[in-house]
């Protein structure tokens, strides 16, 4: 049984000198898994370039947003709803790009841990688009989209005391708030607001009850919608992906150790590795997020969900089989 790929060497916190990198090659199983990830990304990409793409189908909410492109002008923005519609498709291409990055890393010798942060970023992008797509009205869809734009604007690495940066942020904020005003949305500012705190838009009379969900809550809602039941279980995928993204591979239980040399001075030289099954299990949550997003996009574009299911079914099943070989044998 292949142990996976060696990354570094430690025992009880003591780091020893690893063997030469040329001795750390990728086992065949990871190449097979990389092929599956690529097939999944290609299947999603074909939907995004095909059935789910512009021009949108007659009668779809996507086409309705496109037709209403001029209804919500701001101080700078002239066709926000069209931008909203196209950006929800573009989010899918960002996910497939990251998934292809996962596949590339899986094939690389001497590399073990990088697939997990890539998978997390892909899942977060899926969740944000899913949140916009699942709004129950055009106004709510616009509100969610604008709130994400505001949050992103205030997260930009712009110096808070630089006049040009402050002017840019203020002008864009005024634009988004003007767009929101055309849909009856009112700005809400945090109490004791600091320069880097973003306002958010709420419907009249709602205010703080309509604050955008935290990323943690958003991810939990996405996985609950994907079929992961129970509050604790729905929150587990994001916690696991985040632990990896924050460098807590050992604490999250992702890594294993295997002795690779004799004990020297009481210190055992051990290889740190991530088993193939664990790699597939954790990154599978990115595939699950993309699938959930694509179902929401299909509804938005009036494409039957069966089209998405048929395209993703085989690579999805193959990914799951690698992640859970005992249940699929």
């Amino acid at each position: 049984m292949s142990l996976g790929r060696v990354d570094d060497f430690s025992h009880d916190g003591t780091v020893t000198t690893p063997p030469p990198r040329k001795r750390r090659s990728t086992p065949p199983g990871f190449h097979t898994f990389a092929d599956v990830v690529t097939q999944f990304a290609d299947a999603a990409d074909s939907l995004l370039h095909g059935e789910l793409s512009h021009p949108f189908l007659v009668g779809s909410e996507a086409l309705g947003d496109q037709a209403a492109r001029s209804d919500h002008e701001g101080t700078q923005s002239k066709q926000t709803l069209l931008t909203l519609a196209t950006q929800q498709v573009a989010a899918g291409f960002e996910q497939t790009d990251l998934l292809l990055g996962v596949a590339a890393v899986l094939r690389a010798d001497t590399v073990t841990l990088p697939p997990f942060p890539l998978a997390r970023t892909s899942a977060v992008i899926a969740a944000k688009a899913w949140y916009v797509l699942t709004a129950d009205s055009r106004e709510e869809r616009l509100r969610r989209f604008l709130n994400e734009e505001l949050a992103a604007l205030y997260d930009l690495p712009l110096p808070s005391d630089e006049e040009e940066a402050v002017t840019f942020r203020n002008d864009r904020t005024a634009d988004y708030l003007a767009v929101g005003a055309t849909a009856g949305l009112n700005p809400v500012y945090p109490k004791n607001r600091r320069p880097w705190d973003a306002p958010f838009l709420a419907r009249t009379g709602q205010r703080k009850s309509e604050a955008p969900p935290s990323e943690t809550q958003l991810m939990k809602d996405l996985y609950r919608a994907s079929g992961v039941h129970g509050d604790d279980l729905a929150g587990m995928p994001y916690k696991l992906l985040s632990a990896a993204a924050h460098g807590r591979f050992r604490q999250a239980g992702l890594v294993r150790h295997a002795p690779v040399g004799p004990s020297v001075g009481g210190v055992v030289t051990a290889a740190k590795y991530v088993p193939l099954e664990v790699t597939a299990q954790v990154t599978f949550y990115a595939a699950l997020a993309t699938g959930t997003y694509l179902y929401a996009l299909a509804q938005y574009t009036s494409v039957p969900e069966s089209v998405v299911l048929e395209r993703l079914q085989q690579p999805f099943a193959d990914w799951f089989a690698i992640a859970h070989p005992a249940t699929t044998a």
Side-chain angles (χ1 to χ4, degrees):
M1 175 181 175
S2 172
L3 292 178
R5 293 168 293 174
V6 174
D7 186 65
D8 61 25
F9 298 78
S10 62
H11 179 71
D12 294 335
T14 303
V15 179
T16 61
T17 303
R21 281 184 175 270
K22 65 182 179 181
R23 287 167 52 184
R24 300 188 241 169
S25 59
T26 301
F30 280 86
H31 287 284
T32 300
F33 178 39
D35 289 340
V36 170
V37 175
T38 299
Q39 289 160 12
F40 181 90
D42 287 347
D45 190 77
S46 69
L47 287 165
L48 295 165
H49 274 111
E51 293 89 340
L52 305 180
S53 69
H54 179 273
F56 302 118
L57 294 178
V58 174
S60 68
E61 290 182 311
L63 186 63
D65 284 351
Q66 178 184 333
R69 67 176 74 186
S70 300
D71 287 0
H72 301 285
E73 291 190 3
T75 58
Q76 299 178 27
S77 302
K78 303 304 178 185
Q79 48 183 14
T80 302
L81 282 173
L82 177 60
T83 301
L84 182 157
T86 56
Q87 283 300 313
Q88 304 325 301
V89 179
F93 292 120
E94 293 172 354
Q95 292 167 63
T96 59
D97 180 77
L98 288 160
L99 291 175
L100 291 173
V102 169
V105 170
L106 290 170
R107 294 187 174 96
D109 291 340
T110 78
V111 177
T112 302
L113 304 173
F116 303 118
L118 291 171
R120 178 184 183 268
T121 302
S122 180
V124 169
I125 292 171
K128 289 181 177 180
W130 169 84
Y131 179 62
V132 173
L133 290 166
T134 54
D136 58 7
S137 67
R138 177 174 297 159
E139 289 72 21
E140 176 61 10
R141 192 158 53 244
L142 179 63
R143 188 183 77 86
R144 294 181 181 187
F145 174 74
L146 290 172
N147 280 338
E148 171 57 25
E149 292 299 303
L150 283 165
L153 175 65
Y154 279 78
D155 278 343
L156 289 176
L158 300 176
S160 60
D161 58 350
E162 183 179 291
E163 182 177 354
E164 185 177 353
V166 171
T167 299
F168 170 77
R169 180 174 288 156
N170 289 344
D171 288 348
R172 292 303 296 169
T173 299
D175 178 47
Y176 295 140
L177 298 187
V179 172
T182 65
L185 303 174
N186 302 310
V188 178
Y189 297 90
K191 187 177 181 180
N192 301 321
R193 184 189 179 202
R194 298 163 298 182
W196 53 87
D197 290 332
F200 65 87
L201 290 162
R203 289 171 289 190
T204 302
Q206 298 299 313
R207 300 184 67 77
K208 288 187 178 180
S209 64
E210 291 196 334
S214 66
E215 189 169 284
T216 299
Q217 184 61 50
L218 181 57
M219 296 299 293
K220 185 181 292 186
D221 292 343
L222 169 77
Y223 286 116
R224 188 181 291 112
S226 71
V228 180
H229 301 295
D231 202 56
D232 288 342
L233 288 178
M236 186 270 290
Y238 183 64
K239 288 182 178 179
L240 188 58
L241 289 167
S242 292
H246 296 151
R248 294 171 179 162
F249 303 100
R250 174 177 56 81
Q251 294 90 336
L254 301 181
V255 298
R256 307 289 187 271
H257 294 86
V260 294
S263 175
V264 179
V267 177
V268 177
T269 302
K272 180 188 291 184
Y273 68 95
V274 180
L276 174 60
E277 292 83 359
V278 172
T279 303
Q281 286 167 17
V282 177
T283 56
F284 180 76
Y285 290 121
L288 188 59
T290 294
T292 305
Y293 148 78
L294 286 171
Y295 284 127
L297 183 60
Q299 184 173 5
Y300 178 61
T301 56
S302 291
V303 173
E305 288 188 359
S306 59
V307 173
V308 177
L309 176 62
E310 181 180 356
R311 200 74 53 85
L312 298 183
Q313 188 171 22
Q314 191 58 56
F316 201 84
D318 292 342
W319 198 324
F320 186 85
I322 294 172
H324 303 279
T327 62
T328 55

